[in-house]
Amino acid sequence: MNDLFTLVDWSRAQFALTAIYHWLFVPLTLGLGIIVSIMETIYYRTGDERWKTITKYWMTLFGVNFAIGVATGIILEFQFGTNWSNYSWFVGDIFGAPLAIEGIMAFFMEATFIAVMFFGWNKVSKRFHLASTWLTAIGASISALWILVANSWMQYPVGMKFDPETARNVMDDFWALVLSPVAVNKFFHAVSAGWVLGGIFVVGVSAWYLLKNRENFLAKQSIRVGAWVGLVGALVVAYTGDGSAYQVADKQPMKLAAMEGVYHGKEGQELIAFGILNPAKEFNNNEKEFLFDIPIPKLLSILATRQVDGFVPGINDIIDGGYPDKNLKGEEIIALSAQEKMERGRLAIAALADFNTARQNNDTTAMNEARARLDANYEYFGYGYVDSVEQLIPHVPFVFYSFHIMIILGGYFILFFILVLILSYKEKLHNLKWMLWVAILTIPLGYVCLEAGWIVAEMGRQPWVIQDIMPTFAAISKIEVASVQTTFWLFAALFTILLIAEVGIMLKQIKKGTEKK
Amino acid sequence: MELNELFYQHYWWFLISLLGAILVFLLFVQGGQSLLATMGKNEIEKSMMVNSLGRKWEFTFTTLVVFGGAFFASFPLFYSTSFGGAYWLWMAILFSFIIQAVSYEYRSKSGNFLGKKTYDAFLFVNGVVGPLLLGVAVGTFFTGADFVVDKANLTTPGAPVISSWTNDWNGLEALLDVRNLLLGITVLLLARTQGALYFMNNIKDDTLFERARKQVLVNGIVFVLFFLSFVAATLMATGYETNPLTGEVFTRPYKYFYNFVEMPWVAFMFLVGVVLVLYALIRSVFGQHFTRGIWFSGIGTVLVVLSLFFIAGYNHTPYYPSAADMQSSLTICNSSSSLFTLKTMSVVSLLIPFVLAYIFYVWRAMDKKPITASEMESNEHKY
């Protein structure tokens, strides 16, 4: 068992490492793609050559970022096979489809039209070129759609049933997957977060030019486009963030409890605007939750249940059960305790074993009986692999702080973009040195915020790789720990080197500006 | 119902084969990368070749990714068994493509940290390792691999993993098999030959044209020798067969030879493909300034690879035989997705002709004018 956990830890570390790197570059591709498309549209409409220069300038940075996004992306798809082999079989029937669709619908579109975008200026018409730039940006968003459909399904598995004969889950409703409320929210939340980062990046880089009194036309115009895209993005992020929180409360209550550090839930639950967690707090001791906190009365109940006095369960409530709840079908039930769920999970696994035996013996009666037991307990199948209730609680400090960093920065970005737009239209921005510095220093904050969001979503759902159906530690491949350790360090080294190269090139290109050689 | 499912399993094996075949054709990019140092004697020449390949590399890369995604969606048991088991073989392939993905964009940009030579070395490594190891990996479709699949493991909470590898080499053992190596080297030499054919088509430069022609001759001859050896070894080999009623797997001497005999249309396709490739090679080497060799050899390659995938997976042949436990062998029937998923994905696959059409349209629009030395000296975006 110990060996298994080490292997799981390394496999998780490798997936986290590669995903964190990938998520450094993808949002900028999404955001900058839209911004460059808008800029080229302005050039197409006005015929002003200066806008062509602006478009080509940001396109160069887009290309540098895009390449490393591609490099860090390929491994993620194949890692489901290499490191999460059991997962790939158990749910591959459902999970593989969006990945394949992503390739067919999005990757070819990006690969084809990005070549026109960079090399087609003198080879195709202005109109064709503009269409290609938009298609590249749209392709990136379609790609995000399908990978987020896949991810959302892991958090909220719908549109499927378990097939005991092949020992896996099979799809039975494609549209339930695609249109699940979690998927819709997640798609708009993640893509608009990309717009925010694109806006922050363009505004920040342009601010540096204004500080240096260079590229004034480019900088001033880019700031407006960037700030508008960023502001729209930030508002959509806020709206879908609220939607996401509601979905999490409904489908992943343990994640919500960890996000807010709630151990003992109540009706009219307060939201912790910010707080310092008490490191001594465990779910089974009586320490207080926070060393310091700023609560806003009732707000969490409103956000999570849309009712002022709605009940929000805490970590202990979820472990102990006994509160009124809804099941996946939306029926009112009394929540089971973790122990009861684990019991039901074991019944489901035992029923599957009995089904296999009966099938080998061609005993139809026994097969039907085992199948009925399996169906009755399947919604808790994953709990059957869990040994102790502690395993069911995610890492609270990680999730709590990431969530609060994300929220605070998200709020700040809205104010930031509004301020930038006001100052820009009043023609005051270029004279305000402090504000230009703020804009430059906001760039790293954008990355911090987006990574924090990813950590909330992915750490908060642990121990589940598929909510309630399969814990992460049952999803792995059977390989030597040393192999995964080795590839982990290889990826860490390689991606870090590539990141240094990417940042180096970006800085050189920014320094160079639009000057010809 | 039964027939229906079989139809979709065959249809999806066809799509996987098609993606694999197009991928092998597009490996001309890798082959071209492996020729950069040999053929480019100065920066301008090298620059022409890199930029010529640089406008195509994403197609190869994307096809590889889609090949993986489509395999996952249609035959998930292969995905979980092979990728998780032959860990090091697949990881080596992936590493070689990761370093490729940044190299074009970064090689000649200032501030690139590693220097142009390193990125060109990355392109070379990918150019050799990519085709070689992909060939070796596909070789295991004919030679088998050491794995066991036991779905009952799912009910053992301490050790629930279904697929396991039975040796400690985790895929590297495939390099010790002669037939795998023959196929790996064949794919590499084919990629180099087609890389040279592509240069003859895409670059307008007399010196490079002559050098490319020489590469076609040298790589082409060795390629044909390796290809014939692989084909001979495969046709003589004892393969596996499944009893369609019981699913039981047994060995059958000359299995792949009989697959050609029992599916004569596949044999015909194979022969047409071989003739097209040979025609492309001969005309490119001996013809007067023949630039369209890449198209003939490309279509020929697609046909040959398709027919090899067909004899690997059709006619009750396990496409991924297990040498460790024959009954664990994967067939297109026992490793496929459910009928529902295959059907859903089949609807999505109707987009493929549309995708091919716009790729073709854009490719033509962009390649109307071949690459020239003067374009490399202009101020436009280049690698």
Side-chain angles (χ1 to χ4, degrees):
Chain A
M1 203 66 189
N2 262 341
D3 272 358
L4 191 67
F5 273 102
T6 330
L7 176 61
V8 174
D9 292 339
W10 280 104
S11 303
R12 279 185 63 193
Q14 179 170 305
F15 201 91
L17 173 90
T18 47
I20 282 180
Y21 265 106
H22 189 53
W23 187 235
L24 281 176
F25 313 110
V26 170
L28 191 60
T29 298
L30 292 169
L32 211 47
I34 294 293
I35 290 173
V36 168
S37 301
I38 292 173
M39 288 167 166
E40 192 178 337
T41 308
I42 299 175
Y43 163 63
Y44 178 79
R45 291 229 167 140
T46 60
D48 185 342
E49 285 297 315
R50 290 180 302 176
W51 275 100
K52 186 177 180 184
T53 311
I54 294 179
T55 307
K56 283 177 113 174
Y57 169 75
W58 293 109
M59 229 174 234
T60 308
L61 299 185
F62 177 89
V64 175
N65 177 71
F66 187 84
I68 191 167
V70 173
T72 50
I74 185 172
I75 185 62
L76 285 172
E77 174 190 340
F78 287 98
Q79 240 176 157
F80 287 108
T82 53
N83 294 76
W84 305 100
S85 146
N86 231 29
Y87 174 87
S88 293
W89 173 247
F90 194 56
V91 296
D93 192 65
I94 305 143
F95 191 82
L99 262 62
I101 300 174
E102 182 185 20
I104 294 168
M105 280 177 75
F107 289 156
F108 277 117
M109 197 160 157
E110 290 177 84
T112 306
F113 292 102
I114 200 169
V116 183
M117 191 169 145
F118 283 107
F119 305 104
W121 288 105
N122 299 323
K123 292 185 197 275
V124 299
S125 70
K126 262 169 100 174
R127 206 192 171 100
F128 187 5
H129 193 277
L130 177 66
S132 301
T133 306
W134 275 106
L135 286 170
T136 306
I138 292 168
S141 302
I142 296 177
S143 153
L145 170 71
W146 291 106
I147 199 64
L148 291 167
V149 163
N151 180 285
S152 303
W153 181 83
M154 301 164 98
Q155 322 251 359
Y156 177 50
V158 285
M160 57 119 176
K161 59 175 192 263
F162 185 72
D163 174 22
E165 296 197 8
T166 51
R168 62 168 170 186
N169 294 280
V170 293
M171 198 195 297
D172 68 356
D173 185 350
F174 177 70
W175 293 109
L177 246 79
V178 180
L179 300 175
S180 105
V182 177
V184 173
N185 249 300
K186 215 177 238 302
F187 169 67
F188 285 105
H189 195 62
V191 169
S192 53
W195 294 17
V196 172
L197 189 71
I200 289 172
F201 181 80
V202 169
V203 171
V205 171
S206 304
W208 184 78
Y209 285 130
L210 291 181
L211 262 183
K212 297 273 160 191
N213 199 18
R214 286 178 53 195
E215 311 279 358
N216 276 310
F217 181 79
L218 175 141
K220 284 183 179 174
Q221 299 299 330
S222 299
I223 281 177
R224 286 186 190 168
V225 178
W228 274 117
V229 170
L231 180 61
V232 171
L235 294 173
V236 178
V237 165
Y239 178 74
T240 52
D242 171 65
S244 289
Y246 179 73
Q247 296 299 340
V248 167
D250 195 38
K251 277 112 194 165
Q252 299 172 298
M254 183 61 96
K255 187 198 267 188
L256 186 80
M259 280 156 67
E260 275 294 303
V262 181
Y263 284 84
H264 298 280
K266 58 173 185 281
E267 292 171 356
Q269 181 72 43
E270 65 267 19
L271 181 98
I272 306 300
F274 194 73
I276 306 287
L277 291 166
N278 179 1
K281 177 67 189 168
E282 298 281 341
F283 85 100
N284 51 7
N285 68 19
N286 284 325
E287 296 279 338
K288 57 178 187 170
E289 286 89 342
F290 293 97
L291 298 176
F292 160 80
D293 62 334
I294 310 170
I296 306 174
K298 308 221 186 236
L299 189 55
L300 188 59
S301 282
I302 297 172
L303 293 175
T305 68
R306 307 290 192 232
Q307 285 165 357
V308 181
D309 284 319
F311 177 74
V312 179
I315 291 168
N316 284 62
D317 304 301
I318 297 165
I319 297 292
D320 297 338
Y323 58 93
D325 195 15
K326 279 186 192 146
N327 65 11
L328 278 179
K329 291 173 199 146
E331 299 156 349
E332 305 268 339
I333 53 162
I334 297 296
L336 298 185
S337 73
Q339 284 295 353
E340 287 168 317
K341 289 177 184 171
M342 285 155 64
E343 222 20 74
R344 297 273 298 269
R346 289 189 194 112
L347 288 176
I349 291 177
L352 177 60
D354 293 345
F355 179 89
N356 287 335
T357 315
R359 194 161 157 251
Q360 276 169 4
N361 300 335
N362 277 326
D363 182 346
T364 326
T365 326
M367 272 167 75
N368 289 338
E369 184 277 326
R371 181 157 196 165
R373 262 190 293 140
L374 178 60
D375 289 346
N377 296 294
Y378 188 71
E379 63 180 302
Y380 303 106
F381 191 85
Y383 287 90
Y385 295 105
V386 175
D387 297 323
S388 67
V389 292
E390 281 91 341
Q391 288 178 349
L392 294 170
I393 305 170
H395 193 284
V396 176
F398 232 114
V399 180
F400 175 86
Y401 289 117
S402 302
F403 177 62
H404 285 82
I405 288 171
M406 174 185 81
I407 294 282
I408 291 166
L409 287 175
Y412 158 68
F413 295 151
I414 296 179
L415 298 177
F416 169 76
F417 285 126
I418 292 174
L419 191 60
V420 166
L421 281 171
I422 292 173
L423 292 172
S424 160
Y425 283 100
K426 289 198 164 178
E427 292 291 347
K428 284 185 179 163
L429 187 59
H430 56 283
N431 291 325
L432 288 177
K433 268 200 166 172
W434 65 270
M435 186 61 203
L436 296 173
W437 271 111
V438 167
I440 295 169
L441 294 173
T442 299
I443 296 178
L445 296 181
Y447 285 99
V448 170
C449 181
L450 267 78
E451 293 290 355
W454 180 81
I455 289 170
V456 174
E458 300 304 303
M459 294 281 288
R461 67 149 131 153
Q462 296 302 327
W464 301 113
V465 68
I466 313 153
Q467 186 72 34
D468 294 354
I469 304 295
M470 183 179 244
T472 313
F473 54 79
I476 45 165
S477 306
K478 201 166 154 188
I479 26 176
E480 292 296 313
V481 185
S483 291
V484 186
Q485 275 176 324
T486 311
T487 48
F488 172 88
W489 289 114
L490 284 173
F491 281 119
L494 180 61
F495 285 180
T496 306
I497 290 169
L498 295 185
L499 176 69
I500 295 171
E502 193 249 6
V503 173
I505 296 172
M506 282 277 196
L507 293 177
K508 280 276 178 190
Q509 290 290 333
I510 291 167
K511 240 185 190 166
K512 199 171 115 195
T514 60
E515 294 160 17
K516 299 270 184 311
K517 273 181 210 161
Chain B
M1 176 75 188
E2 189 67 22
L3 252 183
N4 215 353
E5 191 159 13
L6 260 182
F7 166 77
Y8 284 104
Q9 283 159 342
H10 280 77
Y11 175 64
W12 271 93
W13 185 252
F14 161 71
L15 287 183
I16 294 296
S17 307
L18 183 65
L19 281 165
I22 294 176
L23 177 64
V24 173
F25 161 58
L26 289 171
L27 285 175
F28 74 76
V29 170
Q30 273 63 26
Q33 286 169 199
S34 76
L35 291 170
L36 289 175
T38 330
M39 281 178 59
K41 305 285 182 206
N42 58 45
E43 274 309 306
I44 281 281
E45 287 171 358
K46 227 188 220 179
S47 181
M48 281 191 277
M49 290 194 287
V50 170
N51 278 278
S52 170
L53 296 171
R55 291 167 202 189
K56 299 294 179 319
W57 77 268
E58 295 210 35
F59 289 119
T60 317
F61 194 93
T62 305
T63 306
L64 175 65
V65 172
V66 175
F67 179 74
F71 228 137
F72 194 2
S74 51
F75 300 102
L77 193 54
F78 172 79
Y79 206 78
S80 63
T81 303
S82 178
F83 284 84
Y87 189 78
W88 279 107
L89 181 60
W90 292 111
M91 279 292 175
I93 293 171
L94 291 174
F95 272 107
S96 91
F97 279 88
I98 291 170
I99 56 175
Q100 182 209 26
V102 289
S103 293
Y104 284 101
E105 189 65 34
Y106 290 6
R107 66 184 286 274
S108 56
K109 290 218 161 56
S110 50
N112 66 11
F113 183 54
L114 298 171
K116 196 179 215 170
K117 281 199 173 135
T118 310
Y119 290 103
D120 286 353
F122 282 174
L123 289 178
F124 180 78
V125 170
N126 171 248
V128 174
V129 171
L132 180 74
L133 293 190
L134 277 172
V136 168
V138 173
T140 62
F141 285 16
F142 297 94
T143 58
D146 294 336
F147 62 87
V148 176
V149 177
D150 186 357
K151 289 174 188 164
N153 287 350
L154 202 60
T155 56
T156 318
V161 183
I162 287 170
S163 303
S164 50
W165 214 247
T166 57
N167 68 49
D168 295 334
W169 291 72
N170 284 103
L172 295 180
E173 76 281 354
L175 286 163
L176 300 177
D177 184 285
V178 178
R179 276 192 286 154
N180 294 343
L181 275 178
L182 280 177
L183 185 59
I185 297 169
T186 302
V187 173
L188 173 62
L189 290 165
L190 174 67
R192 282 168 66 90
T193 309
Q194 298 207 105
L197 288 173
Y198 170 74
F199 288 140
M200 290 167 77
N201 177 272
N202 202 249
I203 301 174
K204 202 173 171 184
D205 184 282
D206 291 340
T207 323
L208 283 180
F209 189 89
E210 282 314 313
R211 281 186 207 144
R213 195 209 295 259
K214 202 180 133 204
Q215 291 298 330
V216 173
L217 176 68
V218 175
N219 286 289
I221 290 174
V222 194
F223 155 71
V224 171
L225 292 177
F226 271 88
F227 173 72
L228 292 177
S229 317
F230 170 77
V231 171
T234 302
L235 295 182
M236 313 247 287
T238 296
Y240 297 85
E241 185 161 312
T242 333
N243 179 329
L245 296 175
T246 60
E248 196 199 345
V249 180
F250 53 92
T251 54
R252 182 175 176 193
Y254 307 108
K255 168 67 179 160
Y256 298 106
F257 174 74
Y258 282 115
N259 277 355
F260 273 137
V261 173
E262 286 156 19
M263 299 186 291
W265 56 280
V266 178
F268 177 73
M269 208 167 84
F270 178 83
L271 290 175
V272 172
V274 170
V275 169
L276 280 173
V277 174
L278 289 177
Y279 172 77
L281 296 185
I282 292 167
R283 254 201 93 178
S284 300
V285 172
F286 300 107
Q288 284 287 330
H289 208 87
F290 183 67
T291 59
R292 281 175 298 156
I294 182 70
W295 293 116
F296 289 98
S297 90
I299 295 168
T301 299
V302 169
L303 291 175
V304 170
V305 179
L306 260 182
S307 53
L308 288 178
F309 269 88
F310 288 170
I311 61 164
Y314 285 164
N315 202 29
H316 314 301
T317 316
Y319 68 88
Y320 202 46
S322 171
D325 169 34
M326 211 197 294
Q327 302 312 323
S328 287
S329 298
L330 305 189
T331 67
I332 60 172
C333 297
N334 71 14
S335 68
S336 82
S337 277
S338 67
L339 180 60
F340 183 89
T341 297
L342 291 177
K343 272 185 178 170
T344 308
M345 292 303 300
S346 299
V347 176
V348 176
S349 76
L350 299 178
L351 286 172
I352 292 176
F354 176 72
V355 172
L356 289 174
Y358 74 65
I359 290 176
F360 181 73
Y361 178 77
V362 170
W363 191 319
R364 273 196 41 179
M366 295 291 290
D367 279 3
K368 256 183 283 177
K369 293 178 235 160
I371 289 199
T372 57
S374 60
E375 188 184 340
M376 291 303 104
E377 284 155 359
S378 79
N379 229 333
E380 284 302 311
H381 188 101
K382 58 177 179 284
Y383 295 130

